Amino acid sequence: DSNEVLKSPLAAEIKEPGRAYLQVGNNERFELLQSAYSGASEKLESGNEKEFTIFQVGSAGKRIPIFKKKKTAGNFRSKTQLEAIVDYVHDGFAAMQKRQLDDICLPALERIINYEVDPLAELKEAITVELGIFDDPDNQLQDVYEVDLSRGNLFITGSSNAGKTNLLQTIIRGLAEKYTPEEVNIYIIDFASRFLKNFDKLAHVGGVVTNSEDEKLKNLFKLLYSTIEERKEKMIACGVSSFTAYREAGMTDLPLIVVMIDNLTALRELYLMDQDDLIGLCREGLSSGVCIVVANGGTSGIGYKYLSNFAHRIALFSNDSSTYGDLFEHCRETVENIPGRALVEVNKEHLDAQTYLSFEGEKEIDRANSIRSFVSEMNTKYAGMSAKRIPLIPTTLTRQYLEDELGFYMSLPGTTIAGLDYATVEPLVLDYTTLGLLAISGREQSGKANFIKSQIHMLANQNPDNIEVYICDSFNKKLESLRTSPVVKEYSMLPDKSIEIVEKVEAEMAERYANISSGVEDYLDDKPIQIIIFNNSDIISTLSANRTAMDKFKNLVDRYKKMKVAILISVENQTIGYSSPEVLKVVRDHPQYMFFDDLNMLKLMDLPLKYVRAYSKPIEIGDGYFVREAFLAKVKTPIDVGKVIG
């Protein structure tokens, strides 16, 4: 450097601070000088005092202090000469009322930035959310960092206490304040602190899944995949191929679904090791309007197949510096260990950003209370709107629950809900206008009689004038509570009564059939549904022994099946052979069962082994299997709490 500047190596020999060579022109002036030092303390009039100590030295050479001289407190000044000059100049210009020049650099990012987003700002066509403030020193710019969730999945990484959960809360708050539940639906998988459970009641949130709710998690994935298939068909019908194109075409009936996952590593270890249902959502979901937001402690074990599906990435402070390189290509920047400080990508540049503090509060309980207030405020604002809840089978399923929550499935006359299908979490609907013969079997005290009663109650609540029920009960009177129902026309415990009922109902169906055949197409419109209930094992032998009654029974099951007649018959769980009673042979030839027992105990018909293996888990009270030819479903039937199960 000395040769480059002075054309001489002299400056390389300088050792003293502040020493320099001054060169003017072609050595017209070449001198060695000592620059003044401005870092010394400001000198005062009494600044000549010095500190010193007087020691007594003994014969052994030991030094013992006997006097110390210190500066007086009044003379102590920590200000340097440079600081004193700056203060003097500042005070002088202030006295002259001169304006201070603007700083050449923007101030550093604050450590805490409270959430401040204008909810009245003009909404863009894309669904975006503001997350914090980024700093671009090269362009002297500090601006809001926002993410377009309708065009890319978001991956967030960072060490413990770096601010991942806070960032997820910011996303929830930003979406809830800017968009209605009809525009954005949120589903949360919280396998971390479970703090996000506080948002479970928010109108925009369809449910929060924690690490102990495996059934709820499965139902969520089923809901998401079925939603994707439905949306694909709808978008194809409109002539577009993606959710963004669908919105650009002016369609607003499909909300953006945001799936938030806190702690992906735990989710994969607990539930996705054998079958990774999430990777399919990451690949295919965005084109159908399903955005995935993941927060994880690092990128170790995640792999390229996951990260390649995340267009947006945010790196909070990480103990492993290689995380930044894994998340961003050709990245050498790191992040300070400040909660909420992050590395983001803006215009293909890696910039520092400070994420918003989602909810104010010094303690966690204070922030939780703020969240509850926010949830209450949003629910009031969007009253009557809500995201579709994660389908869930209640621990105790009641008839009242089905009528209140799923009553629209029974809007058609003569339809009821047999129960909730465990596989689809959808109601299993029975249409009694075309049901025909339904055999009910199973072990004792498993819910058979309760199932029959719940079906009749549902039909009676629709329209009592549209139902006529005939009951032949057993001597234990399990269906006696139906006796006083306005829809029950006859109730008996005598097996011989079954012959009279069959003949009476068959005559009515024959008349209906004759009128329909003669061309009176609307003849059935005002005719009631007639239901025969045989809950007595002796009826099977009684009917089978009467040939005339059997012929009429077969007519009801076959010829008149669509004349608004249905038969519910309780049968023993036994193999039906050639020597079995005629009634059981009819049951065998019309395989439609409600079976209340473990599937491997079913003897009424032969099932493929795959069904027995798939449903090997023992059932609980109220659970049953609905079997119709090649269709099988495990359902949870409604029970009346506090009553004896039959």
Side-chain angles (χ1 to χ4, degrees):
D1 291 339
S2 179
N3 287 330
E4 190 71 25
V5 176
L6 301 177
K7 310 300 182 186
S8 168
L10 290 176
E13 300 174 1
I14 296 176
K15 298 180 180 180
E16 298 82 358
R19 192 69 55 88
Y21 281 98
L22 171 65
Q23 184 183 53
V24 179
N26 186 18
N27 284 349
E28 297 171 5
R29 186 171 185 179
F30 190 84
E31 297 179 3
L32 180 65
L33 61 86
Q34 178 68 41
S35 62
Y37 175 56
S38 61
S41 298
E42 181 185 15
K43 291 185 177 181
L44 303 174
E45 294 181 358
S46 57
N48 294 328
E49 296 183 5
K50 294 183 179 180
E51 295 184 356
F52 63 89
T53 304
I54 298 176
F55 296 92
Q56 175 182 346
V57 182
S59 57
K62 183 177 180 181
R63 297 164 61 90
I64 302 174
I66 59 175
F67 179 78
K68 289 184 177 181
K69 172 63 176 177
K70 296 183 178 180
K71 290 185 177 180
T72 58
N75 293 335
F76 177 76
R77 295 294 297 273
S78 60
K79 187 184 297 185
T80 65
Q81 293 176 350
L82 178 60
E83 292 171 341
I85 294 173
V86 171
D87 289 344
Y88 179 81
V89 174
H90 175 271
D91 295 341
F93 275 84
M96 291 185 287
Q97 298 182 346
K98 298 291 185 180
R99 185 183 70 84
Q100 183 175 346
L101 295 177
D102 296 331
D103 291 337
I104 60 173
C105 294
L106 293 174
L109 290 174
E110 298 181 12
R111 289 176 172 262
I112 297 177
I113 303 177
N114 293 325
Y115 183 89
E116 292 182 2
V117 176
D118 184 7
L120 300 178
E122 182 180 356
L123 295 181
K124 303 177 182 178
E125 189 174 85
I127 297 179
T128 61
V129 60
E130 292 78 12
L131 302 182
I133 305 296
F134 70 85
D135 186 14
D136 185 0
D138 291 346
N139 297 306
Q140 283 298 288
L141 174 66
Q142 290 182 355
D143 203 354
V144 175
Y145 175 69
E146 64 178 10
V147 172
D148 183 356
L149 295 180
S150 61
R151 297 181 183 273
N153 299 323
L154 171 61
F155 190 91
I156 304 167
T157 185
S159 299
S160 179
N161 297 321
K164 300 187 296 296
T165 303
N166 172 76
L167 190 51
L168 294 179
Q169 295 173 51
T170 303
I171 296 174
I172 296 172
R173 180 173 182 177
L175 292 174
E177 287 189 348
K178 289 178 63 177
Y179 305 99
T180 70
E182 295 178 347
E183 295 174 310
V184 174
N185 292 171
I186 303 171
Y187 297 94
I188 303 171
I189 302 176
D190 189 354
F191 277 33
S193 63
R194 299 192 182 189
F195 191 73
L196 299 180
K197 193 77 174 177
N198 290 303
F199 293 98
D200 193 31
K201 300 299 182 182
L202 182 64
H204 298 73
V205 175
V208 180
V209 182
T210 58
N211 51 12
S212 60
E213 298 173 314
D214 53 340
E215 195 68 33
K216 193 174 183 181
L217 180 65
K218 293 177 183 177
N219 295 339
L220 172 59
F221 282 124
K222 291 175 185 175
L223 171 64
L224 294 174
Y225 274 106
S226 63
T227 301
I228 288 175
E229 292 302 319
E230 292 174 3
R231 292 188 170 193
K232 284 181 178 179
E233 295 179 2
K234 183 172 286 190
M235 288 186 290
I236 290 174
C238 293
V240 297
S241 60
S242 67
F243 178 75
T244 53
Y246 188 81
R247 286 181 60 87
E248 288 171 356
M251 308 293 185
T252 59
D253 58 314
L254 298 181
L256 175 69
I257 296 176
V258 180
V259 182
M260 310 186 73
I261 302 171
D262 196 357
N263 197 348
L264 175 61
T265 299
L267 173 64
R268 294 183 67 196
E269 290 177 353
L270 290 174
Y271 295 107
L272 304 180
M273 294 298 290
D274 298 329
Q275 181 178 354
D276 197 340
D277 294 325
L278 180 61
I279 189 66
L281 291 177
C282 295
R283 290 171 179 168
E284 304 175 11
L286 198 62
S287 62
S288 302
V290 178
C291 172
I292 309 297
V293 177
V294 169
N296 200 55
T299 57
S300 177
I302 301 301
Y304 178 77
K305 68 176 184 178
Y306 260 105
L307 291 178
S308 61
N309 296 294
F310 291 86
H312 307 301
R313 305 177 184 184
I314 297 176
L316 297 159
F317 172 77
S318 177
N319 293 320
D320 184 2
S321 58
S322 64
T323 299
Y324 309 114
D326 294 339
L327 214 59
F328 303 105
E329 294 182 0
H330 312 296
C331 177
R332 296 183 179 180
E333 290 84 356
T334 58
V335 177
E336 292 183 80
N337 189 6
I338 300 173
R341 189 60 54 89
L343 190 65
V344 298
E345 190 172 60
V346 179
N347 297 327
K348 297 184 179 181
E349 293 186 7
H350 304 139
L351 305 175
D352 275 3
Q354 181 66 35
T355 59
Y356 292 128
L357 179 63
S358 56
F359 294 92
E360 298 182 34
E362 295 184 3
K363 300 179 181 179
E364 187 172 290
I365 186 63
D366 298 332
R367 293 191 293 273
N369 291 332
S370 298
I371 292 175
R372 294 189 187 100
S373 300
F374 171 77
V375 169
S376 177
E377 178 185 348
M378 291 296 105
N379 290 347
T380 302
K381 180 179 179 181
Y382 300 115
M385 303 182 192
S386 63
K388 184 176 181 180
R389 299 294 297 179
I390 299 175
L392 187 64
I393 296 179
T395 305
T396 302
L397 181 63
T398 63
R399 178 169 50 86
Q400 191 67 41
Y401 173 85
L402 293 179
E403 292 176 345
D404 293 344
E405 300 294 329
L406 304 169
F408 56 90
Y409 282 95
M410 298 182 284
S411 58
L412 294 177
T415 56
T416 65
I417 297 177
L420 295 181
D421 190 336
Y422 274 98
T424 62
V425 202
E426 294 288 335
L428 177 66
V429 179
L430 299 181
D431 184 359
Y432 278 81
T433 61
T434 59
L435 180 65
L437 178 65
L438 176 62
I440 301 171
S441 183
R443 61 174 181 252
E444 290 297 320
Q445 300 296 315
S446 58
K448 301 189 297 296
N450 188 80
F451 171 76
I452 296 173
K453 289 187 285 186
S454 67
Q455 293 296 292
I456 300 304
H457 283 310
M458 289 181 194
L459 290 169
N461 287 344
Q462 284 185 347
N463 184 4
D465 298 330
N466 191 42
I467 306 295
E468 292 181 356
V469 181
Y470 302 88
I471 301 175
C472 278
D473 201 3
S474 60
F475 289 103
N476 55 22
K477 301 180 180 180
K478 289 189 175 181
L479 301 180
E480 188 179 23
S481 62
L482 295 175
R483 191 170 193 168
T484 58
S485 175
V487 300
V488 176
K489 301 305 177 183
E490 291 188 30
Y491 176 89
S492 175
M493 293 180 291
L494 300 176
D496 292 339
K497 189 69 174 178
S498 62
I499 297 175
E500 179 184 332
I501 292 174
V502 168
E503 291 177 345
K504 180 178 180 180
V505 174
E506 196 270 349
E508 170 65 23
M509 296 304 120
E511 182 182 349
R512 295 181 182 183
Y513 186 83
N515 280 277
I516 293 294
S517 300
S518 63
V520 186
E521 297 180 358
D522 58 349
Y523 184 78
L524 288 178
D525 292 349
D526 58 347
K527 297 298 179 181
I529 301 171
Q530 294 194 342
I531 301 174
I532 300 173
I533 301 175
F534 291 151
N535 191 39
N536 190 330
S537 58
D538 295 335
I539 293 174
I540 295 176
S541 57
T542 301
L543 279 177
S544 299
N546 189 314
R547 180 170 296 276
T548 303
M550 272 306 305
D551 290 340
K552 294 181 181 297
F553 182 80
K554 291 178 181 178
N555 284 340
L556 292 174
V557 174
D558 290 320
R559 180 181 294 181
Y560 306 143
K561 176 182 177 181
K562 296 184 179 180
M563 297 295 106
K564 299 174 76 172
V565 61
I567 301 174
L568 305 183
I569 182 169
S570 296
V571 298
E572 295 292 332
N573 181 26
Q574 58 183 335
T575 303
I576 302 175
Y578 292 103
S579 60
S580 300
E582 287 298 316
V583 172
L584 292 182
K585 291 180 181 179
V586 175
V587 171
R588 179 195 61 195
D589 295 338
H590 300 79
Q592 186 170 238
Y593 304 101
M594 194 69 214
F595 184 62
F596 292 89
D597 202 347
D598 297 336
L599 199 58
N600 59 1
M601 300 298 292
L602 179 63
K603 300 176 182 178
L604 292 166
M605 65 180 297
D606 294 328
L607 285 176
L609 189 59
K610 65 177 183 178
Y611 288 129
V612 179
R613 289 177 176 173
Y615 297 99
S616 59
K617 185 178 178 180
I619 65 172
E620 299 178 357
I621 293 177
D623 290 350
Y625 294 94
F626 180 80
V627 185
R628 177 188 287 161
E629 297 179 352
F631 174 78
L632 183 145
K634 181 182 178 182
V635 299
K636 189 177 188 68
T637 61
I639 63 174
D640 292 330
V641 179
K643 294 188 177 182
V644 177
I645 304 299

